[in-house]
Amino acid sequence: MNDIDERLKKQLSFSLEIDKEKNVFRRTHLSEKGRNENDAEHAWHMAVMAYILREYSNEDVDISKVMLMCLIHDIVEIDAGDTYAYDENGIKTQKEREDKAKERIFSLLPDDQKAELIAVFDEFEEYETAESKFAHAMDNLQPIILNNSNGGADWREHKVTAEQVYSRQNKTKLGSEKLFEVIDNIIKENIDKKNLK
C-alpha cells in the first residue's frame, strides 16, 4: 500500500478498524431465540428500519443523516464496550468512556471526515434535532421487537422492570408518537405475560 496516498490510507485504516464492531456483543438476542446480536448487526438493522419506518417520524427528516447516525452511533463501543440499557453503574461512566473512544477512532480518518462524523455522532447524542430523535426511536424500538420475538427472555434474565423500560422508552415519543404506541403495546403485553415486573 506504499503507493496509496495518505488520505486513502487513513480512510482504509478507519474502514478496517470499524470491522471490530462486529465483535462487540449486546445483551439482546437475535429473533427466534438466536445468539446475542453484535453492535454492527444492531446498527445495520436500525438503519434499514429507519428508512422503512420514516413515514412515522413526528417531523420530516433527512433520512440519509438518520441512517448515518444509526450506522455510527455505537462505533465507540469498539473501545468503550456495550453499556446495557439498564446497567446503572455502567451508565455513570459511559459518556467518559465513549468520548475517549470517539476521539481515538474517528481520529483515524482525514481531519474533514473526522469532524463530519463527530458532528453527526454528537448530534445523535444531544437528542435535539428531528433526525436525532428519530434515530433514537430506532435505537429504542429495535431491541424491543427482538426481545418481544424471544418471549421477553432478555428482560426476564436481567430482572428488568416495566418502570425501567418505560423510563427508557418514553423518549421514543419525541421521535415518533406512532412507534411509541407500538412499544407501549409490547410493554403492556409483556407485563401481562409476567416477562416484566
Side-chain angles (χ1 to χ4, degrees):
M1 292 199 347
N2 291 338
D3 55 346
I4 297 177
D5 71 49
E6 195 58 34
R7 180 177 178 82
L8 183 51
K9 277 185 187 173
K10 288 183 173 186
Q11 291 165 327
L12 291 173
S13 177
F14 176 82
S15 298
L16 184 59
E17 183 68 15
I18 64 172
D19 181 67
K20 293 176 182 175
E21 193 175 4
K22 298 172 189 172
N23 291 315
V24 180
F25 286 89
R26 297 165 45 82
R27 304 282 171 87
T28 309
H29 287 77
L30 301 178
S31 60
E32 300 180 11
K33 299 181 175 60
R35 61 165 169 76
N36 290 69
E37 73 171 343
N38 66 47
D39 271 358
E41 292 164 334
H42 167 65
W44 161 82
H45 200 179
M46 282 174 57
V48 176
M49 287 173 59
Y51 186 81
I52 299 301
L53 301 173
R54 67 189 184 276
E55 67 197 82
Y56 305 111
S57 177
N58 291 343
E59 303 173 67
D60 288 337
V61 292
D62 174 349
I63 197 60
S64 62
K65 183 184 257 192
V66 173
M67 293 173 74
L68 182 58
M69 284 180 180
C70 292
L71 290 169
I72 70 165
H73 81 290
D74 277 344
I75 283 175
V76 294
E77 293 186 359
I78 291 168
D79 289 358
D82 176 56
T83 303
Y84 186 48
Y86 308 109
D87 175 2
E88 291 177 15
N89 286 329
I91 289 169
K92 289 176 188 172
T93 63
Q94 183 177 9
K95 181 167 175 26
E96 180 185 341
R97 286 182 285 117
E98 291 187 353
D99 283 349
K100 191 173 174 183
K102 174 179 68 173
E103 181 59 29
R104 185 195 72 79
I105 296 166
F106 290 120
S107 289
L108 295 171
L109 285 164
D111 289 344
D112 62 319
Q113 290 184 320
K114 172 189 174 183
E116 177 189 4
L117 291 191
I118 284 180
V120 172
F121 179 91
D122 289 345
E123 181 179 338
F124 174 81
E125 291 293 310
E126 287 160 7
Y127 221 124
E128 292 176 359
T129 63
E131 286 78 14
S132 66
K133 290 172 187 174
F134 191 60
H136 273 284
M138 296 303 100
D139 198 20
N140 290 340
L141 176 63
Q142 189 267 350
I144 283 266
I145 63 173
L146 288 183
N147 199 12
N148 189 53
S149 80
N150 289 316
D154 294 325
W155 287 324
R156 285 195 314 276
E157 179 184 345
H158 300 289
K159 297 177 175 57
V160 176
T161 67
E163 182 182 3
Q164 287 174 299
V165 179
Y166 272 121
S167 175
R168 180 174 175 81
Q169 295 296 332
N170 276 330
K171 289 185 175 180
T172 300
K173 289 182 223 175
L174 300 174
S176 175
E177 293 278 354
K178 182 66 176 175
L179 295 177
F180 178 76
E181 290 174 20
V182 172
I183 287 170
D184 189 39
N185 285 332
I186 290 172
I187 294 170
K188 286 174 178 168
E189 285 173 15
N190 280 277
I191 292 170
D192 291 343
K193 292 174 183 173
K194 309 281 193 253
N195 294 325
L196 285 167
K197 295 180 181 185

